[in-house]
Amino acid sequence: MAKADTPSSEDLMRLDNFLCFAIYSANHAFTRVYKPLLDQLDLTYPQYLVMVVLWEKDDQTVGSLGEKLFLESSTLTPMLKRLEAMGYVSRVRDRTDERQVRVRLTDTGRALRQKASAVPAGIVDATGMEPADLARLRKEIAALRTALLG
Amino acid sequence: MAKADTPSSEDLMRLDNFLCFAIYSANHAFTRVYKPLLDQLDLTYPQYLVMVVLWEKDDQTVGSLGEKLFLESSTLTPMLKRLEAMGYVSRVRDRTDERQVRVRLTDTGRALRQKASAVPAGIVDATGMEPADLARLRKEIAALRTALLG
DNA sequence: TGCAATTTAATCGCGCGCGACTTGAATGTT
DNA sequence: AACATTCAAGTCGCGCGCGATTAAATTGCA
């Protein structure tokens, strides 16, 4: 029978016992599953996440996007420029506060949402999990993230 | 009461409901938590994972490391060269099969294990979770990874 | 008003991470 | 033995992702 002992320092040093590695490798696995689906939209996985945030609420600042995605402006700025070059978003300085840049969907960017509508279901499918289990796991991992950043 | 409905396509499109995003952002959170701990060892987070694999079993090929870490040789080769330049590992062609490169810990690399011994406990601490919950979550995520790669 | 402190993006350098490709070695087939 | 196939590692180009820094705008305050 498994007992709830405090793990030995030996056990803690085994890669299989690293929660961080489970997450690290699951993240790569997700990237691979998304690739063929997103290739059709000409989006990378991080770019897709930006689009999801914008589809949810258009016209956001770089800072607002970064807060939601937990990304720095040094990551977002080049990404947003690529999305702009592809014609999916526009970037314009806010007139009332010139420090901020407002990111808005173009018509093409808005239209892309329809083409992307089948993606989430495809991913859920690839996990082979029930929606309820998926939701529970998602909440647990989000809570873990909160604890780590706290 | 929450009901186990099939989620609507609207719900599926909300970032908060993306399991992949929970994992994506939790992975970044882990990287941040590790940073101050690993800075003292002069290791990045992926480099640390390579060292963990080698501490577990010395003298492995690039392919073997890649299998365990789910990484390609195109990722590992430059990383291993950096670890070699730092004096933590050596890279030598296998005499009996010149295609393979054997990666071995140097004395310094082996010694580093002691300095790193406090790291896992520090991470567990940062999660604020019980070892049993941690283990359960880890297994669920590893199973998810397996499903995704299947 | 004037000037310091703060805020927001952007820039730069570096290390992943991968797909596509190359190189050289081992293996299989005839 | 000769040649094609397969296999392992490495190279290259590109897109993140971040820390450190910079530039410019706004805010706070004496």
Side-chain angles (χ1 to χ4, degrees), chain A residues 40-92:
Chain A
Q40 305 167 40
L41 312 176
D42 266 308
L43 290 175
T44 66
Y45 174 51
Q47 284 166 5
Y48 170 68
L49 293 178
V50 170
M51 294 302 288
V52 167
V53 174
L54 285 171
W55 287 328
E56 213 170 309
K57 178 171 157 29
D58 197 356
D59 192 12
Q60 298 194 52
T61 65
V62 174
S64 155
L65 294 174
E67 228 171 275
K68 285 168 185 164
L69 292 162
F70 301 93
L71 294 175
E72 306 295 323
S73 72
S74 48
T75 300
L76 281 170
T77 297
M79 260 179 71
L80 293 169
K81 284 186 177 176
R82 280 187 274 282
L83 288 173
E84 187 179 38
M86 288 189 282
Y88 291 151
V89 306
S90 69
R91 297 162 58 250
V92 278

Side-chain angles (χ1 to χ4, degrees), chain A residues 1-25:
Chain A
M1 290 281 96
K3 225 172 129 277
D5 283 301
T6 300
S8 73
S9 122
E10 267 312 303
D11 285 345
L12 285 176
M13 272 301 215
R14 291 182 31 79
L15 183 69
D16 289 345
N17 293 338
F18 278 53
L19 172 58
C20 65
F21 174 68
I23 290 189
Y24 169 87
S25 52

Side-chain angles (χ1 to χ4, degrees), chain B residues 46-122:
Chain B
Q47 284 166 5
Y48 170 69
L49 292 177
V50 170
M51 294 302 287
V52 167
V53 174
L54 285 171
W55 287 329
E56 213 171 309
K57 179 171 159 26
D58 198 357
D59 193 10
Q60 299 193 51
T61 64
V62 174
S64 156
L65 294 174
E67 227 171 277
K68 285 168 185 163
L69 293 162
F70 301 93
L71 294 175
E72 307 295 323
S73 73
S74 48
T75 299
L76 280 170
T77 298
M79 258 178 72
L80 292 169
K81 284 188 175 175
R82 275 177 220 114
L83 288 171
E84 187 180 40
M86 288 189 281
Y88 291 151
V89 307
S90 69
R91 298 162 57 251
V92 277
R93 290 270 161 200
D94 189 312
R95 267 184 207 72
T96 71
D97 185 344
E98 292 274 344
R99 288 175 304 181
Q100 301 184 20
V101 165
R102 306 211 68 89
V103 182
R104 295 198 189 92
L105 291 166
T106 61
D107 290 344
T108 317
R110 243 185 311 279
L112 196 66
R113 187 179 191 172
Q114 306 309 317
K115 283 186 71 177
S117 59
V119 172

Side-chain angles (χ1 to χ4, degrees), chain B residues 6-19:
Chain B
T6 299
S8 73
S9 123
E10 268 312 302
D11 286 345
L12 284 177
M13 271 301 214
R14 292 184 29 80
L15 183 69
D16 289 346
N17 293 337
F18 278 54
L19 172 58

